[in-house]
């Protein structure tokens, strides 16, 4: 990497990563703070006590229903608009919805705010991997997405600390209402910052000098040349819906998100079953998330260096499944059971972060990424709907069948990742054998066929070699 490229990469990191990571921190706080609010009296004040836990489950899961429905159209629409405008407006929208949750007086009010939260976050979550591919190469993307998605784990730890602090506040309003206000308003402020400071596409942003712009565009197209710009290739939309590999990725994402949603909403409740008070259960959610932030960063860095995602997903998904098996088989040792939560959280979060990075550069055009990314994510978020219904109060404190189901889903994800990485390795070897290896510093035109293009043919290689001699 040249000195100029290193300088550009540092400039991008300084501007893009702080804003997008903080946005995701508060996005995740705002979608997952119901678990903390539940222990602060939300169910008693708004849901009539909710003795079965089913009302809480529906308030939790309604977010994912609107999120799933809006993901594909929102991400395709994002391709037609300046990124800073789209991402900043989304943050302002979900911040307002999260803050309004504090005003709810009944279940309907909570659910209306959660529906709005899902609509606006659907414009953000799948859009970030697409946005990152505008600036980062496949050798850099995994670590940057790990920093970004790792803030979901930071949010888990940070949310536990905030909830622990609010637990000791004796104000004029209920603690759970104060929690929604404190975690909702910062998203609005960050949205305004994104509108002002996030770079737009490399070819249009004022963030670059002309020399930096040329270098950024060359980096963005160093491997493929596709349908860049503010337009959509309709054939690539159909291509994404017909690609079986996207659906297999959705299966992996489904299991991981079922575990993630259940952990996000119920980790304080699970830890409380170990015999701790409400306040201490809130505090003990912090260490598993803190360790997870380190694990996902190291795993993603290694996957960038080794240029492999699938094997790491196989391992991380199996680690998460093993954590649930420990909870199933160890009944009376609370220290071991608490250690199992570390396995579950770190394995689940790492799986999701690596899957996002895996597909970001395995979909061969911007339109296919804008369709395929929210498509497998939407399938995966169906797992989130399932996960929010898996821990009714009547099943506690052991939750045997529920832990068994989540373990099975994570191990299924490990098997699917093994099959998918085997397919990619076989297909790459076949293309190299039939068409020859792509020459360094040459591009494959994916504007028509996306990732169905077979790579550069022998005739094109001969022509390229001839042109470099003259």
């Amino acid at each position: 990497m040249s000195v100029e490229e290193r300088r550009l990469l540092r400039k991008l990191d300084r501007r893009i990563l702080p804003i997008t990571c903080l946005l995701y921190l508060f996005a995740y706080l705002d979608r997952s703070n119901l678990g903390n609010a539940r222990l602060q009296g939300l169910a008693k004040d708004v849901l009539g006590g909710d003795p079965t836990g089913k009302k809480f489950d529906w308030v939790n899961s309604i977010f994912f229903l609107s999120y799933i429905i809006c993901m594909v159209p929102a991400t395709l629409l994002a391709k037609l608009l300046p990124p800073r405008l789209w991402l900043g407006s989304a943050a302002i929208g979900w911040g307002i919805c999260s803050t309004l949750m504090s005003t709810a007086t009944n279940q309907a009010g909570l659910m209306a705010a959660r529906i709005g939260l899902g609509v606006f976050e659907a414009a953000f979550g799948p859009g970030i991997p697409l946005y990152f591919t505008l600036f980062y190469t496949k050798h850099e993307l995994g670590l940057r997405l790990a920093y970004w998605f790792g803030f979901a784990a930071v949010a888990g730890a940070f949310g536990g600390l905030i909830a622990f602090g609010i637990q000791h506040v004796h104000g004029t309003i209920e603690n759970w209402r104060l929690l929604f206000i404190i975690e909702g308003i910062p998203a609005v402020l960050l949205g305004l910052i994104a509108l002002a400071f996030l770079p737009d596409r490399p070819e249009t942003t004022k963030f670059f000098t002309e020399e930096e712009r040329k270098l950024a565009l060359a980096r963005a197209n160093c491997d493929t040349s596709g349908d860049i710009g503010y337009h959509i290739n309709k054939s690539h939309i159909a291509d994404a819906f017909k690609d079986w590999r996207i659906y297999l990725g959705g299966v992996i994402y489904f299991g991981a998100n079922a575990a993630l949603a259940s952990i996000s909403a119920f980790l304080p409740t699970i830890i409380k079953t170990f015999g701790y008070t409400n306040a201490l259960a809130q505090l003990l959610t912090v260490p598993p998330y803190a360790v997870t932030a380190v694990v996902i960063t190291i795993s993603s860095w290694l996957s960038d260096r080794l240029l492999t995602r699938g094997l790491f997903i196989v391992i991380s998904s199996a680690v998460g499944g093993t954590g649930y098996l420990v909870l199933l088989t160890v009944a009376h040792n609370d220290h071991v059971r608490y250690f199992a939560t570390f396995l579950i959280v770190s394995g689940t979060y790492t799986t999701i972060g690596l899957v996002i990075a895996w597909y970001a550069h395995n979909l061969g055009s911007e339109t296919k990424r804008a369709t395929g990314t929210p498509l497998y994510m939407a399938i995966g978020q169906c797992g989130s709907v399932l996960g929010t219904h898996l821990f009714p109060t009547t099943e506690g404190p052991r939750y045997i069948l529920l832990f068994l189901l989540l373990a099975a889903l994570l191990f299924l994800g490990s098997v699917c990742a093994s099959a998918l990485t085997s397919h990619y390795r076989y297909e790459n070897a076949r293309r190299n054998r039939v068409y020859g290896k792509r020459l360094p510093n040459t591009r494959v035109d994916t504007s028509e066929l996306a990732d169905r293009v077979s790579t550069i043919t022998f005739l094109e290689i001969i022509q390229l070699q001839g042109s470099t001699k003259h």
Side-chain angles (χ1 to χ4, degrees):
M1 183 183 294
S2 67
V3 174
E4 292 78 11
E5 193 170 354
R6 288 194 183 95
R7 188 182 298 118
L8 176 63
L9 189 59
R10 288 194 297 269
K11 184 176 182 178
L12 289 169
D13 286 344
R14 286 194 299 267
R15 179 64 67 92
I16 293 174
L17 291 181
I19 296 174
T20 55
C21 288
L22 286 174
L23 282 172
Y24 197 55
L25 169 68
F26 284 97
Y28 204 81
L29 281 174
D30 291 340
R31 79 167 69 170
S32 62
N33 52 17
L34 277 178
N36 299 115
R38 187 186 199 186
L39 294 185
Q40 294 177 340
L42 178 143
K44 178 182 177 182
D45 294 339
V46 179
L47 302 179
D50 193 24
T52 65
K54 291 183 178 179
K55 290 183 178 180
F56 176 83
D57 289 349
W58 277 111
V59 171
N60 196 14
S61 63
I62 197 67
F63 161 86
F64 296 104
L65 295 177
S66 59
Y67 190 62
I68 290 166
I69 292 170
C70 294
M71 287 176 85
V72 173
T75 310
L76 282 170
L77 184 58
K79 192 174 176 337
L80 301 176
L81 297 171
R84 64 180 178 82
L85 177 63
W86 186 251
L87 297 174
S89 299
I92 293 170
W94 87 64
I96 291 173
C97 290
S98 179
T99 306
L100 288 175
M101 287 171 63
S102 66
T103 67
T105 58
N106 52 39
Q107 183 182 3
L110 275 177
M111 293 181 72
R114 292 281 290 179
I115 289 171
L117 192 69
V119 171
F120 285 107
E121 286 206 23
F124 173 75
I128 288 294
L130 178 65
Y131 179 61
F132 275 25
T133 60
L134 301 178
F135 301 99
Y136 296 112
T137 70
K138 64 183 178 182
H139 303 278
E140 303 157 354
L141 187 67
L143 183 60
R144 270 72 185 180
L145 283 173
Y147 290 148
W148 172 72
F149 186 73
F151 267 72
V154 174
F158 194 48
L161 289 173
I162 293 175
F164 179 75
I166 291 176
Q167 190 84 17
H168 295 85
V169 172
H170 303 287
T172 57
I173 64 173
E174 293 88 345
N175 286 346
W176 63 268
R177 296 186 191 273
L178 183 60
L179 180 70
F180 290 143
I181 294 170
I182 289 175
E183 294 182 353
I185 291 176
V188 178
L189 301 178
L190 282 168
L192 295 173
I193 292 173
L195 285 173
F197 295 106
L198 267 185
D200 281 325
R201 297 182 64 91
E203 60 268 30
T204 59
T205 184
K206 298 179 181 179
F207 177 61
F208 293 142
T209 66
E210 284 308 308
E211 290 300 317
E212 289 172 339
R213 191 186 315 281
K214 292 177 183 178
L215 180 57
L217 288 171
R219 282 165 43 84
N221 295 297
C222 63
D223 292 311
T224 61
S225 178
D227 59 332
I228 62 173
Y230 296 110
H231 71 276
I232 292 173
N233 187 321
K234 295 180 181 178
S235 67
H236 291 190
I237 296 176
D239 194 38
F241 277 96
K242 292 185 290 185
D243 192 338
W244 64 269
R245 294 166 296 191
I246 292 175
Y247 295 97
L248 194 58
V251 174
I252 302 170
Y253 211 66
F254 180 97
N257 272 281
L260 181 69
S262 62
I263 283 295
S264 299
F266 300 106
L267 184 59
T269 302
I270 293 171
I271 293 177
K272 186 183 175 183
T273 66
F274 302 164
Y276 300 111
T277 63
N278 283 356
L280 189 55
Q282 303 271 22
L283 189 60
L284 287 176
T285 62
V286 175
Y289 286 113
V291 169
T292 295
V294 176
V295 171
I296 190 175
T297 301
I298 293 174
S299 299
S300 297
W301 180 82
L302 285 173
S303 73
D304 275 351
R305 299 285 76 76
L306 299 176
L307 286 180
T308 181
R309 315 280 187 206
L311 292 179
F312 285 92
I313 295 171
V314 170
I315 295 170
S316 61
S317 194
V319 166
T322 300
Y324 280 112
L325 289 183
V326 172
L327 288 180
L328 278 168
T329 56
V330 178
H332 304 295
N333 190 326
D334 290 334
H335 296 293
V336 174
R337 289 170 64 79
Y338 183 54
F339 172 72
T341 65
F342 285 77
L343 299 179
I344 293 167
V345 178
S346 60
T348 300
Y349 276 78
T350 301
T351 296
I352 293 176
L354 289 171
V355 168
I356 293 172
W358 203 11
Y359 278 88
H361 272 296
N362 269 340
L363 300 173
S365 72
E366 282 189 20
T367 298
K368 189 168 183 181
R369 285 196 294 273
T371 308
T373 299
L375 179 57
Y376 80 76
M377 285 186 172
I379 296 169
Q381 292 301 338
C382 294
S384 298
V385 177
L386 173 65
T388 57
H389 288 273
L390 285 181
F391 289 86
T393 305
T394 53
E395 295 292 326
R398 289 298 307 280
Y399 301 107
I400 293 175
L401 292 178
L402 313 179
F403 289 154
L404 183 62
L405 174 61
L406 291 170
L409 287 172
L410 286 170
F411 282 118
L412 174 62
S414 187
V415 172
C416 290
S418 179
L420 193 56
T421 194
S422 297
H423 162 75
Y424 278 130
R425 289 168 186 269
Y426 169 80
E427 183 63 16
N428 288 339
R430 185 193 67 80
R431 292 185 180 190
N432 288 341
R433 184 173 64 253
V434 175
Y435 300 102
K437 291 186 178 180
R438 183 175 63 85
L439 289 176
N441 302 318
T442 57
R443 287 199 284 261
V444 179
D445 185 357
T446 61
S447 58
E448 293 298 325
L449 297 177
D451 47 19
R452 289 183 291 113
V453 67
S454 294
T455 193
I456 298 178
T457 66
F458 283 124
L459 178 59
E460 290 172 316
I461 290 174
I462 293 171
Q463 292 173 339
L464 284 166
Q465 288 174 333
S467 65
T468 58
K469 294 178 181 179
H470 295 292

